[in-house]
Amino acid sequence: MRKDQLSGLTTAAGVWATAAIGMTERAGQYFVGVAATILLVIIQFVFHDDSLFNKLIKSVHIRLPITVLNQSEVLTKIKDLLKNLGAQNLSLRIVGINHDKLEISVNLILKAPIKKKN
């Protein structure tokens, strides 16, 4: 764990997978070993932090149902909070009112953070 983020998971999984591939090769299962090696290389390429796949993902669209207490200015508070977190194209829509609760549908876009290289 680094800065409240899990890191090194693909590396650890790659080490375990490499050990398993070595065992299949030693057992004489050469086709399985070669196929697993090709699959492992593809998976590592796609899911590693600096991969092309992660660079292509620039933003994500999120639809979020929220139920809150019906208090004054609650929609404004939610909207301000989400904007402070970097939400763009933010829209809030009331979909239901039950006694003292509001059911809200929130649509927003979050942009991927840009990593600065040292």
Side-chain angles (χ1 to χ4, degrees), residues 38-81:
I38 293 169
L39 184 63
L40 178 63
V41 168
I42 292 170
I43 289 172
Q44 287 285 340
F45 177 74
V46 169
F47 290 107
H48 199 269
D49 286 342
D50 298 329
S51 72
L52 178 65
F53 180 75
N54 287 331
K55 290 178 183 174
L56 291 176
I57 299 175
K58 301 292 184 195
S59 64
V60 63
H61 181 261
I62 299 172
R63 288 187 182 168
L64 186 65
I66 300 176
T67 302
V68 294
L69 292 175
N70 190 1
Q71 297 175 346
S72 65
E73 299 184 24
V74 70
L75 294 177
T76 305
K77 290 176 185 177
I78 292 172
K79 196 170 190 175
D80 290 343
L81 174 69

mmCIF file of all heavy atoms in Angstrom, residues 38-81:
data_model
loop_
_atom_site.group_PDB
_atom_site.id
_atom_site.type_symbol
_atom_site.label_atom_id
_atom_site.label_comp_id
_atom_site.label_asym_id
_atom_site.label_seq_id
_atom_site.Cartn_x
_atom_site.Cartn_y
_atom_site.Cartn_z
ATOM 1 N N ILE A 38 2.007 -16.492 -23.505
ATOM 2 C CA ILE A 38 1.447 -15.486 -24.412
ATOM 3 C C ILE A 38 0.308 -14.725 -23.724
ATOM 4 O O ILE A 38 0.246 -13.491 -23.770
ATOM 5 C CB ILE A 38 0.972 -16.135 -25.729
ATOM 6 C CG1 ILE A 38 2.187 -16.662 -26.508
ATOM 7 C CG2 ILE A 38 0.153 -15.157 -26.570
ATOM 8 C CD1 ILE A 38 1.840 -17.552 -27.674
ATOM 9 N N LEU A 39 -0.566 -15.462 -23.052
ATOM 10 C CA LEU A 39 -1.680 -14.845 -22.342
ATOM 11 C C LEU A 39 -1.175 -13.925 -21.225
ATOM 12 O O LEU A 39 -1.674 -12.803 -21.050
ATOM 13 C CB LEU A 39 -2.603 -15.923 -21.766
ATOM 14 C CG LEU A 39 -3.868 -15.449 -21.081
ATOM 15 C CD1 LEU A 39 -4.769 -14.719 -22.068
ATOM 16 C CD2 LEU A 39 -4.600 -16.623 -20.466
ATOM 17 N N LEU A 40 -0.161 -14.363 -20.485
ATOM 18 C CA LEU A 40 0.397 -13.563 -19.401
ATOM 19 C C LEU A 40 1.006 -12.258 -19.918
ATOM 20 O O LEU A 40 0.803 -11.194 -19.339
ATOM 21 C CB LEU A 40 1.444 -14.359 -18.631
ATOM 22 C CG LEU A 40 2.152 -13.628 -17.499
ATOM 23 C CD1 LEU A 40 1.159 -13.228 -16.418
ATOM 24 C CD2 LEU A 40 3.255 -14.483 -16.925
ATOM 25 N N VAL A 41 1.726 -12.333 -21.029
ATOM 26 C CA VAL A 41 2.336 -11.127 -21.602
ATOM 27 C C VAL A 41 1.254 -10.135 -22.028
ATOM 28 O O VAL A 41 1.359 -8.928 -21.764
ATOM 29 C CB VAL A 41 3.258 -11.486 -22.787
ATOM 30 C CG1 VAL A 41 3.670 -10.247 -23.571
ATOM 31 C CG2 VAL A 41 4.478 -12.242 -22.291
ATOM 32 N N ILE A 42 0.200 -10.635 -22.644
ATOM 33 C CA ILE A 42 -0.900 -9.757 -23.063
ATOM 34 C C ILE A 42 -1.570 -9.115 -21.852
ATOM 35 O O ILE A 42 -1.813 -7.899 -21.820
ATOM 36 C CB ILE A 42 -1.927 -10.533 -23.920
ATOM 37 C CG1 ILE A 42 -1.307 -10.912 -25.266
ATOM 38 C CG2 ILE A 42 -3.207 -9.721 -24.117
ATOM 39 C CD1 ILE A 42 -2.133 -11.881 -26.075
ATOM 40 N N ILE A 43 -1.865 -9.903 -20.828
ATOM 41 C CA ILE A 43 -2.520 -9.377 -19.635
ATOM 42 C C ILE A 43 -1.641 -8.345 -18.944
ATOM 43 O O ILE A 43 -2.116 -7.282 -18.526
ATOM 44 C CB ILE A 43 -2.908 -10.524 -18.677
ATOM 45 C CG1 ILE A 43 -4.061 -11.319 -19.282
ATOM 46 C CG2 ILE A 43 -3.279 -9.998 -17.290
ATOM 47 C CD1 ILE A 43 -4.398 -12.585 -18.523
ATOM 48 N N GLN A 44 -0.348 -8.628 -18.818
ATOM 49 C CA GLN A 44 0.561 -7.673 -18.182
ATOM 50 C C GLN A 44 0.625 -6.370 -18.982
ATOM 51 O O GLN A 44 0.672 -5.284 -18.404
ATOM 52 C CB GLN A 44 1.969 -8.272 -18.033
ATOM 53 C CG GLN A 44 2.071 -9.330 -16.971
ATOM 54 C CD GLN A 44 2.058 -8.758 -15.575
ATOM 55 O OE1 GLN A 44 2.326 -7.589 -15.339
ATOM 56 N NE2 GLN A 44 1.719 -9.600 -14.608
ATOM 57 N N PHE A 45 0.619 -6.480 -20.287
ATOM 58 C CA PHE A 45 0.665 -5.284 -21.129
ATOM 59 C C PHE A 45 -0.592 -4.434 -20.963
ATOM 60 O O PHE A 45 -0.523 -3.217 -20.853
ATOM 61 C CB PHE A 45 0.844 -5.682 -22.599
ATOM 62 C CG PHE A 45 0.833 -4.501 -23.537
ATOM 63 C CD1 PHE A 45 1.913 -3.646 -23.618
ATOM 64 C CD2 PHE A 45 -0.279 -4.233 -24.325
ATOM 65 C CE1 PHE A 45 1.897 -2.549 -24.464
ATOM 66 C CE2 PHE A 45 -0.307 -3.152 -25.168
ATOM 67 C CZ PHE A 45 0.787 -2.306 -25.243
ATOM 68 N N VAL A 46 -1.739 -5.081 -20.898
ATOM 69 C CA VAL A 46 -3.002 -4.355 -20.833
ATOM 70 C C VAL A 46 -3.234 -3.731 -19.458
ATOM 71 O O VAL A 46 -3.664 -2.586 -19.354
ATOM 72 C CB VAL A 46 -4.183 -5.282 -21.198
ATOM 73 C CG1 VAL A 46 -5.522 -4.632 -20.885
ATOM 74 C CG2 VAL A 46 -4.127 -5.650 -22.671
ATOM 75 N N PHE A 47 -2.937 -4.458 -18.379
ATOM 76 C CA PHE A 47 -3.323 -3.993 -17.050
ATOM 77 C C PHE A 47 -2.217 -3.304 -16.255
ATOM 78 O O PHE A 47 -2.472 -2.834 -15.159
ATOM 79 C CB PHE A 47 -3.877 -5.158 -16.223
ATOM 80 C CG PHE A 47 -5.211 -5.612 -16.715
ATOM 81 C CD1 PHE A 47 -5.354 -6.806 -17.387
ATOM 82 C CD2 PHE A 47 -6.330 -4.822 -16.534
ATOM 83 C CE1 PHE A 47 -6.582 -7.225 -17.848
ATOM 84 C CE2 PHE A 47 -7.561 -5.220 -16.999
ATOM 85 C CZ PHE A 47 -7.686 -6.426 -17.661
ATOM 86 N N HIS A 48 -1.022 -3.216 -16.766
ATOM 87 C CA HIS A 48 0.035 -2.546 -16.021
ATOM 88 C C HIS A 48 -0.219 -1.041 -15.987
ATOM 89 O O HIS A 48 -0.842 -0.485 -16.882
ATOM 90 C CB HIS A 48 1.408 -2.851 -16.638
ATOM 91 C CG HIS A 48 2.524 -2.586 -15.699
ATOM 92 N ND1 HIS A 48 3.153 -1.391 -15.623
ATOM 93 C CD2 HIS A 48 3.096 -3.378 -14.755
ATOM 94 C CE1 HIS A 48 4.085 -1.444 -14.699
ATOM 95 N NE2 HIS A 48 4.063 -2.641 -14.144
ATOM 96 N N ASP A 49 0.264 -0.360 -14.951
ATOM 97 C CA ASP A 49 -0.021 1.066 -14.740
ATOM 98 C C ASP A 49 0.342 1.948 -15.930
ATOM 99 O O ASP A 49 -0.359 2.889 -16.248
ATOM 100 C CB ASP A 49 0.729 1.585 -13.509
ATOM 101 C CG ASP A 49 0.100 1.091 -12.220
ATOM 102 O OD1 ASP A 49 -1.061 0.661 -12.265
ATOM 103 O OD2 ASP A 49 0.776 1.144 -11.186
ATOM 104 N N ASP A 50 1.452 1.693 -16.567
ATOM 105 C CA ASP A 50 1.921 2.552 -17.654
ATOM 106 C C ASP A 50 1.524 2.027 -19.025
ATOM 107 O O ASP A 50 2.127 2.383 -20.029
ATOM 108 C CB ASP A 50 3.449 2.676 -17.591
ATOM 109 C CG ASP A 50 3.901 3.320 -16.293
ATOM 110 O OD1 ASP A 50 3.137 4.145 -15.766
ATOM 111 O OD2 ASP A 50 4.995 2.996 -15.817
ATOM 112 N N SER A 51 0.499 1.199 -19.089
ATOM 113 C CA SER A 51 0.128 0.572 -20.353
ATOM 114 C C SER A 51 -0.629 1.530 -21.275
ATOM 115 O O SER A 51 -1.179 2.543 -20.846
ATOM 116 C CB SER A 51 -0.734 -0.671 -20.104
ATOM 117 O OG SER A 51 -2.012 -0.284 -19.660
ATOM 118 N N LEU A 52 -0.661 1.166 -22.522
ATOM 119 C CA LEU A 52 -1.402 1.928 -23.523
ATOM 120 C C LEU A 52 -2.889 1.957 -23.189
ATOM 121 O O LEU A 52 -3.556 2.977 -23.348
ATOM 122 C CB LEU A 52 -1.169 1.314 -24.904
ATOM 123 C CG LEU A 52 -1.918 1.956 -26.067
ATOM 124 C CD1 LEU A 52 -1.426 3.384 -26.261
ATOM 125 C CD2 LEU A 52 -1.704 1.147 -27.333
ATOM 126 N N PHE A 53 -3.415 0.839 -22.685
ATOM 127 C CA PHE A 53 -4.827 0.734 -22.314
ATOM 128 C C PHE A 53 -5.204 1.805 -21.289
ATOM 129 O O PHE A 53 -6.214 2.483 -21.428
ATOM 130 C CB PHE A 53 -5.097 -0.668 -21.759
ATOM 131 C CG PHE A 53 -6.522 -0.898 -21.342
ATOM 132 C CD1 PHE A 53 -7.516 -1.085 -22.282
ATOM 133 C CD2 PHE A 53 -6.861 -0.936 -20.000
ATOM 134 C CE1 PHE A 53 -8.827 -1.298 -21.897
ATOM 135 C CE2 PHE A 53 -8.162 -1.147 -19.609
ATOM 136 C CZ PHE A 53 -9.140 -1.330 -20.558
ATOM 137 N N ASN A 54 -4.384 1.971 -20.257
ATOM 138 C CA ASN A 54 -4.675 2.963 -19.224
ATOM 139 C C ASN A 54 -4.512 4.385 -19.738
ATOM 140 O O ASN A 54 -5.139 5.309 -19.228
ATOM 141 C CB ASN A 54 -3.799 2.737 -17.994
ATOM 142 C CG ASN A 54 -4.234 1.530 -17.207
ATOM 143 O OD1 ASN A 54 -5.406 1.183 -17.210
ATOM 144 N ND2 ASN A 54 -3.306 0.873 -16.552
ATOM 145 N N LYS A 55 -3.659 4.594 -20.720
ATOM 146 C CA LYS A 55 -3.493 5.935 -21.292
ATOM 147 C C LYS A 55 -4.673 6.309 -22.185
ATOM 148 O O LYS A 55 -4.973 7.475 -22.366
ATOM 149 C CB LYS A 55 -2.188 6.012 -22.067
ATOM 150 C CG LYS A 55 -0.985 5.982 -21.147
ATOM 151 C CD LYS A 55 0.297 5.998 -21.919
ATOM 152 C CE LYS A 55 1.465 5.884 -20.944
ATOM 153 N NZ LYS A 55 2.738 5.760 -21.608
ATOM 154 N N LEU A 56 -5.346 5.305 -22.760
ATOM 155 C CA LEU A 56 -6.488 5.563 -23.625
ATOM 156 C C LEU A 56 -7.739 5.943 -22.839
ATOM 157 O O LEU A 56 -8.614 6.627 -23.341
ATOM 158 C CB LEU A 56 -6.785 4.339 -24.493
ATOM 159 C CG LEU A 56 -5.752 4.022 -25.560
ATOM 160 C CD1 LEU A 56 -6.112 2.729 -26.270
ATOM 161 C CD2 LEU A 56 -5.619 5.154 -26.556
ATOM 162 N N ILE A 57 -7.837 5.476 -21.589
ATOM 163 C CA ILE A 57 -9.000 5.789 -20.766
ATOM 164 C C ILE A 57 -8.820 7.190 -20.206
ATOM 165 O O ILE A 57 -8.023 7.416 -19.317
ATOM 166 C CB ILE A 57 -9.172 4.763 -19.630
ATOM 167 C CG1 ILE A 57 -9.390 3.376 -20.197
ATOM 168 C CG2 ILE A 57 -10.331 5.169 -18.734
ATOM 169 C CD1 ILE A 57 -9.451 2.302 -19.152
ATOM 170 N N LYS A 58 -9.538 8.119 -20.751
ATOM 171 C CA LYS A 58 -9.406 9.525 -20.348
ATOM 172 C C LYS A 58 -10.478 9.942 -19.348
ATOM 173 O O LYS A 58 -10.272 10.838 -18.561
ATOM 174 C CB LYS A 58 -9.476 10.441 -21.564
ATOM 175 C CG LYS A 58 -8.417 10.168 -22.597
ATOM 176 C CD LYS A 58 -7.061 10.530 -22.076
ATOM 177 C CE LYS A 58 -6.034 10.323 -23.176
ATOM 178 N NZ LYS A 58 -4.696 10.312 -22.704
ATOM 179 N N SER A 59 -11.655 9.323 -19.418
ATOM 180 C CA SER A 59 -12.726 9.701 -18.507
ATOM 181 C C SER A 59 -13.699 8.533 -18.358
ATOM 182 O O SER A 59 -13.683 7.595 -19.145
ATOM 183 C CB SER A 59 -13.466 10.932 -19.026
ATOM 184 O OG SER A 59 -14.101 10.638 -20.243
ATOM 185 N N VAL A 60 -14.524 8.634 -17.343
ATOM 186 C CA VAL A 60 -15.530 7.606 -17.095
ATOM 187 C C VAL A 60 -16.857 8.298 -16.781
ATOM 188 O O VAL A 60 -16.894 9.310 -16.078
ATOM 189 C CB VAL A 60 -15.078 6.653 -15.961
ATOM 190 C CG1 VAL A 60 -14.918 7.386 -14.650
ATOM 191 C CG2 VAL A 60 -16.031 5.495 -15.810
ATOM 192 N N HIS A 61 -17.934 7.759 -17.344
ATOM 193 C CA HIS A 61 -19.277 8.288 -17.105
ATOM 194 C C HIS A 61 -19.904 7.481 -15.976
ATOM 195 O O HIS A 61 -19.889 6.254 -16.005
ATOM 196 C CB HIS A 61 -20.130 8.184 -18.372
ATOM 197 C CG HIS A 61 -21.497 8.735 -18.190
ATOM 198 N ND1 HIS A 61 -22.578 7.937 -17.943
ATOM 199 C CD2 HIS A 61 -21.958 10.006 -18.189
ATOM 200 C CE1 HIS A 61 -23.653 8.695 -17.813
ATOM 201 N NE2 HIS A 61 -23.300 9.949 -17.961
ATOM 202 N N ILE A 62 -20.442 8.170 -14.978
ATOM 203 C CA ILE A 62 -20.998 7.506 -13.800
ATOM 204 C C ILE A 62 -22.445 7.921 -13.612
ATOM 205 O O ILE A 62 -22.776 9.101 -13.684
ATOM 206 C CB ILE A 62 -20.194 7.874 -12.536
ATOM 207 C CG1 ILE A 62 -18.747 7.413 -12.681
ATOM 208 C CG2 ILE A 62 -20.828 7.266 -11.289
ATOM 209 C CD1 ILE A 62 -17.846 7.887 -11.581
ATOM 210 N N ARG A 63 -23.303 6.934 -13.379
ATOM 211 C CA ARG A 63 -24.689 7.179 -12.965
ATOM 212 C C ARG A 63 -24.809 6.650 -11.552
ATOM 213 O O ARG A 63 -24.502 5.498 -11.281
ATOM 214 C CB ARG A 63 -25.673 6.447 -13.866
ATOM 215 C CG ARG A 63 -25.757 7.055 -15.210
ATOM 216 C CD ARG A 63 -26.838 6.445 -16.025
ATOM 217 N NE ARG A 63 -26.821 7.071 -17.331
ATOM 218 C CZ ARG A 63 -27.469 6.625 -18.351
ATOM 219 N NH1 ARG A 63 -28.211 5.550 -18.249
ATOM 220 N NH2 ARG A 63 -27.398 7.248 -19.500
ATOM 221 N N LEU A 64 -25.263 7.508 -10.664
ATOM 222 C CA LEU A 64 -25.236 7.187 -9.246
ATOM 223 C C LEU A 64 -26.588 7.483 -8.616
ATOM 224 O O LEU A 64 -27.016 8.634 -8.583
ATOM 225 C CB LEU A 64 -24.143 8.035 -8.590
ATOM 226 C CG LEU A 64 -23.813 7.814 -7.147
ATOM 227 C CD1 LEU A 64 -23.226 6.432 -6.935
ATOM 228 C CD2 LEU A 64 -22.808 8.865 -6.706
ATOM 229 N N PRO A 65 -27.280 6.456 -8.100
ATOM 230 C CA PRO A 65 -28.514 6.725 -7.359
ATOM 231 C C PRO A 65 -28.168 7.068 -5.907
ATOM 232 O O PRO A 65 -27.364 6.395 -5.270
ATOM 233 C CB PRO A 65 -29.279 5.409 -7.451
ATOM 234 C CG PRO A 65 -28.220 4.374 -7.601
ATOM 235 C CD PRO A 65 -27.065 5.032 -8.316
ATOM 236 N N ILE A 66 -28.762 8.121 -5.386
ATOM 237 C CA ILE A 66 -28.495 8.566 -4.021
ATOM 238 C C ILE A 66 -29.829 8.796 -3.309
ATOM 239 O O ILE A 66 -30.746 9.368 -3.881
ATOM 240 C CB ILE A 66 -27.681 9.873 -4.000
ATOM 241 C CG1 ILE A 66 -26.333 9.693 -4.687
ATOM 242 C CG2 ILE A 66 -27.463 10.351 -2.568
ATOM 243 C CD1 ILE A 66 -25.524 10.964 -4.781
ATOM 244 N N THR A 67 -29.908 8.344 -2.060
ATOM 245 C CA THR A 67 -31.059 8.647 -1.213
ATOM 246 C C THR A 67 -30.564 9.472 -0.034
ATOM 247 O O THR A 67 -29.626 9.066 0.656
ATOM 248 C CB THR A 67 -31.727 7.346 -0.707
ATOM 249 O OG1 THR A 67 -32.117 6.559 -1.825
ATOM 250 C CG2 THR A 67 -32.944 7.661 0.139
ATOM 251 N N VAL A 68 -31.156 10.641 0.162
ATOM 252 C CA VAL A 68 -30.731 11.553 1.221
ATOM 253 C C VAL A 68 -31.954 12.051 1.982
ATOM 254 O O VAL A 68 -33.085 11.953 1.507
ATOM 255 C CB VAL A 68 -29.955 12.767 0.656
ATOM 256 C CG1 VAL A 68 -28.645 12.340 0.045
ATOM 257 C CG2 VAL A 68 -30.786 13.533 -0.345
ATOM 258 N N LEU A 69 -31.692 12.589 3.171
ATOM 259 C CA LEU A 69 -32.760 13.225 3.931
ATOM 260 C C LEU A 69 -33.164 14.516 3.233
ATOM 261 O O LEU A 69 -32.318 15.249 2.726
ATOM 262 C CB LEU A 69 -32.303 13.518 5.352
ATOM 263 C CG LEU A 69 -32.066 12.302 6.245
ATOM 264 C CD1 LEU A 69 -31.498 12.734 7.589
ATOM 265 C CD2 LEU A 69 -33.341 11.511 6.434
ATOM 266 N N ASN A 70 -34.447 14.787 3.201
ATOM 267 C CA ASN A 70 -34.975 15.980 2.543
ATOM 268 C C ASN A 70 -34.746 17.189 3.445
ATOM 269 O O ASN A 70 -35.570 17.514 4.288
ATOM 270 C CB ASN A 70 -36.455 15.792 2.237
ATOM 271 C CG ASN A 70 -36.995 16.877 1.347
ATOM 272 O OD1 ASN A 70 -36.261 17.769 0.937
ATOM 273 N ND2 ASN A 70 -38.275 16.804 1.045
ATOM 274 N N GLN A 71 -33.590 17.809 3.263
ATOM 275 C CA GLN A 71 -33.233 18.987 4.041
ATOM 276 C C GLN A 71 -33.007 20.149 3.082
ATOM 277 O O GLN A 71 -32.792 19.950 1.893
ATOM 278 C CB GLN A 71 -31.963 18.732 4.853
ATOM 279 C CG GLN A 71 -32.108 17.632 5.873
ATOM 280 C CD GLN A 71 -30.805 17.325 6.579
ATOM 281 O OE1 GLN A 71 -29.744 17.743 6.154
ATOM 282 N NE2 GLN A 71 -30.895 16.578 7.663
ATOM 283 N N SER A 72 -33.011 21.344 3.634
ATOM 284 C CA SER A 72 -32.834 22.518 2.778
ATOM 285 C C SER A 72 -31.443 22.512 2.152
ATOM 286 O O SER A 72 -30.448 22.170 2.799
ATOM 287 C CB SER A 72 -33.047 23.802 3.580
ATOM 288 O OG SER A 72 -32.047 23.933 4.570
ATOM 289 N N GLU A 73 -31.393 22.835 0.890
ATOM 290 C CA GLU A 73 -30.171 22.982 0.110
ATOM 291 C C GLU A 73 -29.340 21.699 0.000
ATOM 292 O O GLU A 73 -28.142 21.756 -0.237
ATOM 293 C CB GLU A 73 -29.318 24.124 0.659
ATOM 294 C CG GLU A 73 -30.020 25.463 0.613
ATOM 295 C CD GLU A 73 -29.125 26.598 1.081
ATOM 296 O OE1 GLU A 73 -27.900 26.457 1.007
ATOM 297 O OE2 GLU A 73 -29.667 27.615 1.506
ATOM 298 N N VAL A 74 -29.946 20.528 0.172
ATOM 299 C CA VAL A 74 -29.189 19.281 0.084
ATOM 300 C C VAL A 74 -28.669 19.049 -1.339
ATOM 301 O O VAL A 74 -27.560 18.561 -1.531
ATOM 302 C CB VAL A 74 -30.020 18.082 0.600
ATOM 303 C CG1 VAL A 74 -31.157 17.739 -0.341
ATOM 304 C CG2 VAL A 74 -29.127 16.872 0.826
ATOM 305 N N LEU A 75 -29.455 19.427 -2.352
ATOM 306 C CA LEU A 75 -29.010 19.258 -3.737
ATOM 307 C C LEU A 75 -27.807 20.142 -4.042
ATOM 308 O O LEU A 75 -26.857 19.717 -4.711
ATOM 309 C CB LEU A 75 -30.153 19.557 -4.711
ATOM 310 C CG LEU A 75 -31.338 18.597 -4.662
ATOM 311 C CD1 LEU A 75 -32.414 19.049 -5.629
ATOM 312 C CD2 LEU A 75 -30.898 17.190 -4.970
ATOM 313 N N THR A 76 -27.825 21.359 -3.532
ATOM 314 C CA THR A 76 -26.697 22.275 -3.735
ATOM 315 C C THR A 76 -25.444 21.737 -3.063
ATOM 316 O O THR A 76 -24.348 21.787 -3.630
ATOM 317 C CB THR A 76 -27.036 23.673 -3.174
ATOM 318 O OG1 THR A 76 -28.246 24.121 -3.775
ATOM 319 C CG2 THR A 76 -25.928 24.656 -3.459
ATOM 320 N N LYS A 77 -25.597 21.185 -1.861
ATOM 321 C CA LYS A 77 -24.449 20.635 -1.133
ATOM 322 C C LYS A 77 -23.847 19.441 -1.876
ATOM 323 O O LYS A 77 -22.628 19.317 -1.988
ATOM 324 C CB LYS A 77 -24.862 20.224 0.275
ATOM 325 C CG LYS A 77 -25.175 21.395 1.180
ATOM 326 C CD LYS A 77 -25.665 20.927 2.541
ATOM 327 C CE LYS A 77 -26.085 22.093 3.407
ATOM 328 N NZ LYS A 77 -26.620 21.662 4.705
ATOM 329 N N ILE A 78 -24.701 18.559 -2.403
ATOM 330 C CA ILE A 78 -24.213 17.402 -3.161
ATOM 331 C C ILE A 78 -23.505 17.859 -4.424
ATOM 332 O O ILE A 78 -22.419 17.376 -4.756
ATOM 333 C CB ILE A 78 -25.380 16.443 -3.500
ATOM 334 C CG1 ILE A 78 -25.908 15.790 -2.226
ATOM 335 C CG2 ILE A 78 -24.939 15.389 -4.502
ATOM 336 C CD1 ILE A 78 -27.172 14.995 -2.432
ATOM 337 N N LYS A 79 -24.112 18.806 -5.125
ATOM 338 C CA LYS A 79 -23.527 19.314 -6.364
ATOM 339 C C LYS A 79 -22.166 19.962 -6.104
ATOM 340 O O LYS A 79 -21.200 19.705 -6.823
ATOM 341 C CB LYS A 79 -24.481 20.312 -7.020
ATOM 342 C CG LYS A 79 -24.168 20.608 -8.446
ATOM 343 C CD LYS A 79 -25.300 21.399 -9.078
ATOM 344 C CE LYS A 79 -25.130 21.498 -10.554
ATOM 345 N NZ LYS A 79 -26.236 22.143 -11.221
ATOM 346 N N ASP A 80 -22.058 20.773 -5.064
ATOM 347 C CA ASP A 80 -20.783 21.415 -4.726
ATOM 348 C C ASP A 80 -19.721 20.389 -4.347
ATOM 349 O O ASP A 80 -18.566 20.499 -4.742
ATOM 350 C CB ASP A 80 -20.976 22.421 -3.583
ATOM 351 C CG ASP A 80 -21.774 23.646 -4.006
ATOM 352 O OD1 ASP A 80 -21.902 23.880 -5.226
ATOM 353 O OD2 ASP A 80 -22.279 24.353 -3.112
ATOM 354 N N LEU A 81 -20.114 19.381 -3.571
ATOM 355 C CA LEU A 81 -19.173 18.334 -3.171
ATOM 356 C C LEU A 81 -18.625 17.587 -4.373
ATOM 357 O O LEU A 81 -17.415 17.385 -4.505
ATOM 358 C CB LEU A 81 -19.856 17.355 -2.212
ATOM 359 C CG LEU A 81 -19.044 16.125 -1.829
ATOM 360 C CD1 LEU A 81 -17.871 16.517 -0.953
ATOM 361 C CD2 LEU A 81 -19.913 15.103 -1.133
#
